[in-house]
Amino acid sequence: MRFLSSLYSLSVFSSKPHPFNSIFTPLLNHLHISFIHCETHSTQQTLLFMDASEETLRKTLTEKQNSVTTQANVVRNLKGAKAAKSEIDAAVEALNALKLEKTSIEQQLQAVLNSDGSGNSLNREAFRHAVVNTLERRFFYKPSFSIYGGVAGLYDYGPPGSAVKSNVLAFWRQHFVLKENMLEVDCPCVTPEVVLKASGHVDKFTDLMVKDEKTGMCYRADHLLKDFCKEKLEKDFSLPVEKIADFKHVLAVLDDLSTEQLGAKIKEYGITAPDTKNPLSDPYPFNLMFQTSIGPSGESTGYMRPETAQGIFVNFNYLYYYNGNKLPFAAAQIGQAFRNEISPRQGLLRVREFTLAEIEHFVDPSDKSHRKYGEVVDLEFLMFPREEQMAGNQAKRTRLGDAVSKGIVNNETLAYFIGRVYLFLTRLGIDKERLRFRQHLANEMAHYAADCWDAEIECSYGWVECVGIADRSAYDLNAHSAKSGVALDAHEKLQEPREIEKLVIAPMKKELGLEFKGNQKKAMNEKEAMEMKATLESKGEVEFHVCTLGKAVTIKSSMVSISIEKKKEHQRVFTPSVIEPSFGIGRIIYCLFEHSFYTRPSKAGDEQLNVFRFPSLVAPVKCTVFPLVQNQEYENVAEQISQSLTGSGILHKIDITGTSIGKRYARTDELGVPLAITVDSSSSVTIRERDSKEQIRVGIDEVAAVVKAVTEGQSTWTDIQQRYPAHSSTAVDE
């Protein structure tokens, strides 16, 4: 799966409130404004997709600016004519009033541009800063090699981040590999050039780059153009309607712009290098793969893989045999992938080394039904088909079965994986109201793809593609078959033999060998063979170019026999199609961080406390154990509980620092720990739930069982509360 940035929408915050109990509640509400790719573009078409209040305010602002200019000329003329002071003062007062009205309209327009559609003011950057600051301070992740200044696009996961990532991957294996009985493989990161040449990566895996003509600093061309247009739309209130239409059109068709068109727009808008304001070079393609040499001679070129899928494709024959030569089956791989991003940004969303989890589901192209389709057919979630995008509409809640029956989703197997991806993401903790499945537009689709959908998650950066689910047809297996000369086919035994016509080429090795000098291999398609046959029959010989010899040789009719024979076929040989779900793990985790983050006031009300409400499934630590005070007896009990938790396979932490219980609770809430055990006696303890802050009292011997039941989903916290007495303590400073 290739994670390509496609801007078919400009995401700002929307009207639907999100369940955050904090001052950041309004910060994660989004409004999605869609733009169409039109063959012919007009101002009227663009304005159809401008918010009505924005359009009205921009027109009013233009009129008011004209009034200010007119009144300023009046003041200037009165002063030049040395009019009476009272007359000049009245004109100046009118000018100031117009300026105040203009400022008020600007503020209203700014509020519309930065609002959720319901009047709530937004500050995405402030929310993101709060999240990222917490993540980095608690070492969920950090920029790599920071003591040496760091390297853009590379990040280290600290202990809690590594634990969250491990838990996400463990659930991915459980949800997909185990549930679907997939065949998991582990292939090298270093890939020979010939493999990536066949897949198209060597020639086509590029982004357009521009350089600062004086310093040589590199930038991604489409990012510069996108940032320029967005900044103008959001901050320049004096833009005429025609210019607004132009900028929005560019954003809508950004991915369709050719190299020349992209360069022309950069020059038209006068875009310069962001850091130095120096002029920029014309755009040119830059291959995103890290190139390396295999072996000491340096003659064998390799690349760090940009995706994990190719290792599965080249092993198809072995996997097919391992699966008993039966279709359908799926192979999966989790591993590192590498992309030499031109200008990495947006934290974990665009990096140079990242973890992919990919599935290649091989299926008969003539039968893309799925035996488990019934398990997902009634799921309903936000879907954004290409027709809705082209019409400028919003994503709508759709029943998956209806999408298939109406032909919106191409086939059952593709739909099945869309449904499974939805269940995976929502069970991780992704907000279902900020998750949608967007179908690729026609201009996004690869020529070989039958259908493709992206699972997009909304965060403070907008809608982010995190999973791609594509029907890639038989492209990959065909490409590797053609390049390697090894057939990557499947076989189906026919119930009744069928008669077919088959091309048979029989070389006369003795005579052919003299002319070919031992190199007798030359691939021909059926058309070439039949043309040769006709020429041999009419002329007795033919000139034939042999690439391995680098020259043409004369083939005589005595050297080869070419015929069409009728044969009975007992099996059907075909190349399987591939349904490919591909998961960007880092992107999913970052969106999970944002969706899980909220703040709540301290008991004193003098500060906001950060909380990650991770589901127990992904929480980095399942519970903490706190002796209420520094007391040897309590510490012994804490150690006893720790041993029972370890025996039950529950990851936990003991905190015996002398700080207050309230502060220790706050520290673990900030790590997203679901349960906290406080040792306040030698016979029983309290267990506190993170989000409700409610507590129950449990006997020491039962602690591990209770924690295990809650954190593994065997019981809910509500269930547990009904079985154990509640506990309240006014001494705990929350």
Side-chain angles (χ1 to χ4, degrees), residues 139-184:
F139 199 16
F140 279 83
Y141 69 87
K142 281 271 193 182
S144 301
F145 317 113
S146 56
I147 65 171
Y148 290 100
V151 178
L154 297 178
Y155 290 89
D156 296 330
Y157 285 87
S162 294
V164 169
K165 182 178 178 182
S166 295
N167 293 337
V168 169
L169 291 176
F171 181 55
W172 188 88
R173 276 195 173 94
Q174 175 190 339
H175 189 78
F176 291 104
V177 178
L178 297 180
K179 170 81 172 177
E180 310 299 333
N181 197 26
M182 294 179 179
L183 310 180
E184 188 170 359

Side-chain angles (χ1 to χ4, degrees), residues 612 614 619-624 668-676 690:
F612 282 107
F614 297 127
V621 178
K622 306 306 180 187
C623 71
T624 49
T668 56
D669 289 347
E670 204 170 47
L671 287 175
V673 181
L675 300 174
R690 177 195 59 216

Side-chain angles (χ1 to χ4, degrees), residues 492-498 570-571:
E492 178 191 18
K493 188 175 181 180
L494 299 175
Q495 292 183 350
E496 294 290 337
R498 63 184 179 184
H570 294 270
Q571 65 176 0

Side-chain angles (χ1 to χ4, degrees), residues 9-164:
S9 59
L10 172 63
S11 294
V12 291
F13 286 80
S14 94
S15 60
K16 183 164 181 66
H18 303 295
F20 280 81
N21 299 321
S22 72
I23 60 170
F24 294 110
T25 297
L27 304 185
L28 278 186
N29 301 329
H30 293 72
L31 169 66
H32 177 76
I33 304 173
S34 296
F35 302 99
I36 316 180
H37 170 60
C38 304
E39 292 300 325
T40 58
H41 177 71
S42 68
T43 300
Q44 288 74 22
Q45 284 172 314
T46 300
L47 290 179
L48 286 173
F49 309 106
M50 187 192 302
D51 183 86
S53 58
E54 178 191 350
E55 180 183 354
T56 301
L57 286 168
R58 284 193 183 275
K59 287 181 178 178
T60 304
L61 184 60
T62 300
E63 293 168 0
K64 193 62 64 177
Q65 178 60 56
N66 292 336
S67 298
V68 169
T69 302
T70 300
Q71 187 64 23
N73 289 333
V74 169
V75 172
R76 192 177 299 109
N77 292 336
L78 287 173
K79 288 181 177 179
K82 296 184 179 179
K85 183 176 183 301
S86 60
E87 191 175 356
I88 293 174
D89 289 345
V92 169
E93 185 177 350
L95 175 61
N96 290 337
L98 287 170
K99 287 181 177 179
L100 285 173
E101 291 174 12
K102 173 176 170 284
T103 300
S104 175
I105 296 169
E106 287 176 344
Q107 291 171 345
Q108 293 176 56
L109 179 56
Q110 186 69 69
V112 167
L113 293 174
N114 294 327
S115 76
D116 65 359
S118 301
N120 290 327
S121 178
L122 303 168
N123 192 332
R124 288 170 285 179
E125 288 74 18
F127 173 77
R128 187 188 309 134
H129 177 76
V131 176
V132 172
N133 177 65
T134 305
L135 291 170
E136 293 194 0
R137 178 168 48 80
R138 299 308 305 265
F139 199 16
F140 279 83
Y141 69 87
K142 281 271 193 182
S144 301
F145 317 113
S146 56
I147 65 171
Y148 290 100
V151 178
L154 297 178
Y155 290 89
D156 296 330
Y157 285 87
S162 294
V164 169

Side-chain angles (χ1 to χ4, degrees), residues 324-620:
N325 294 333
K326 293 181 180 179
L327 284 181
F329 75 89
Q333 180 167 198
I334 297 171
Q336 296 302 98
F338 307 83
R339 297 181 188 179
N340 195 12
E341 293 285 350
I342 296 167
S343 49
R345 57 184 187 173
Q346 298 183 336
L348 294 180
L349 299 185
R350 188 169 295 280
V351 293
R352 288 178 165 135
E353 179 180 349
F354 51 95
T355 302
L356 283 180
E358 295 191 296
I359 297 165
E360 309 303 328
H361 181 90
F362 298 99
V363 63
D364 187 333
S366 65
D367 180 12
K368 294 182 180 178
S369 61
H370 198 288
R371 64 185 182 87
K372 295 184 180 180
Y373 173 60
E375 295 180 8
V376 300
V377 68
D378 290 322
L379 289 176
E380 288 189 6
F381 43 80
L382 292 175
M383 299 191 76
F384 204 9
R386 63 173 65 95
E387 289 77 13
E388 298 296 329
Q389 298 173 58
M390 296 296 289
N393 297 327
Q394 303 292 314
K396 295 178 181 177
R397 187 166 297 281
T398 306
R399 180 177 172 271
L400 186 55
D402 294 339
V404 175
S405 63
K406 294 176 183 178
I408 297 171
V409 177
N410 184 268
N411 58 77
E412 285 187 6
T413 297
L414 184 64
Y416 177 74
F417 279 107
I418 289 174
R420 292 292 293 163
V421 169
Y422 169 79
L423 293 173
F424 170 74
L425 293 174
T426 52
R427 288 172 183 173
L428 279 182
I430 296 299
D431 181 357
K432 63 179 67 176
E433 299 302 322
R434 286 181 282 162
L435 168 64
R436 72 181 183 190
F437 289 81
R438 187 184 70 82
Q439 188 177 32
H440 280 202
L441 298 179
N443 54 2
E444 291 179 89
M445 292 272 285
H447 66 278
Y448 51 80
D451 198 3
C452 187
W453 293 75
D454 289 338
E456 296 183 331
I457 303 174
E458 195 179 34
C459 68
S460 64
Y461 290 104
W463 288 100
V464 177
E465 174 198 351
C466 293
V467 187
I469 311 105
D471 182 339
R472 297 173 60 85
S473 301
Y475 171 79
D476 301 281
L477 294 181
N478 282 333
H480 286 298
S481 290
K483 189 72 174 177
S484 67
V486 177
L488 301 174
D489 294 328
H491 310 272
E492 178 191 18
K493 188 175 181 180
L494 299 175
Q495 292 183 350
E496 294 290 337
R498 63 184 179 184
E499 193 174 76
I500 63 166
E501 290 185 341
K502 191 170 184 180
L503 175 68
V504 178
I505 303 174
M508 308 306 176
K509 294 186 178 180
K510 183 176 179 181
E511 295 190 34
L512 198 61
L514 294 173
E515 192 67 35
F516 278 72
K517 296 183 179 179
N519 196 334
Q520 300 170 16
K521 292 185 179 180
K522 166 64 183 175
M524 276 192 295
N525 58 37
E526 184 173 344
K527 182 181 177 182
E528 290 174 326
M530 296 312 294
E531 288 174 353
M532 177 183 283
K533 173 180 171 64
T535 305
L536 288 173
E537 289 175 350
S538 62
K539 297 182 178 180
E541 62 182 37
V542 63
E543 290 292 312
F544 192 60
H545 182 78
V546 182
C547 59
T548 53
L549 296 178
K551 66 176 184 179
V553 298
T554 300
I555 302 294
K556 297 178 181 179
S557 57
S558 61
M559 294 179 179
V560 64
S561 170
I562 302 174
S563 62
I564 298 290
E565 296 181 4
K566 289 187 176 181
K567 291 191 172 184
K568 281 193 174 182
E569 189 177 68
H570 294 270
Q571 65 176 0
R572 169 176 163 248
V573 180
F574 61 93
T575 305
S577 286
V578 174
I579 310 295
E580 180 194 65
S582 179
F583 299 73
I585 299 301
R587 290 184 172 193
I588 292 171
I589 289 173
Y590 178 76
C591 291
L592 176 63
F593 287 153
E594 282 205 8
H595 285 206
S596 301
F597 182 82
Y598 69 101
T599 64
R600 61 187 176 204
S602 63
K603 186 177 182 180
D606 56 348
E607 62 176 326
Q608 291 291 323
L609 304 177
N610 301 324
V611 184
F612 282 107
R613 56 167 163 228
F614 297 127
S616 298
L617 183 72
V618 296

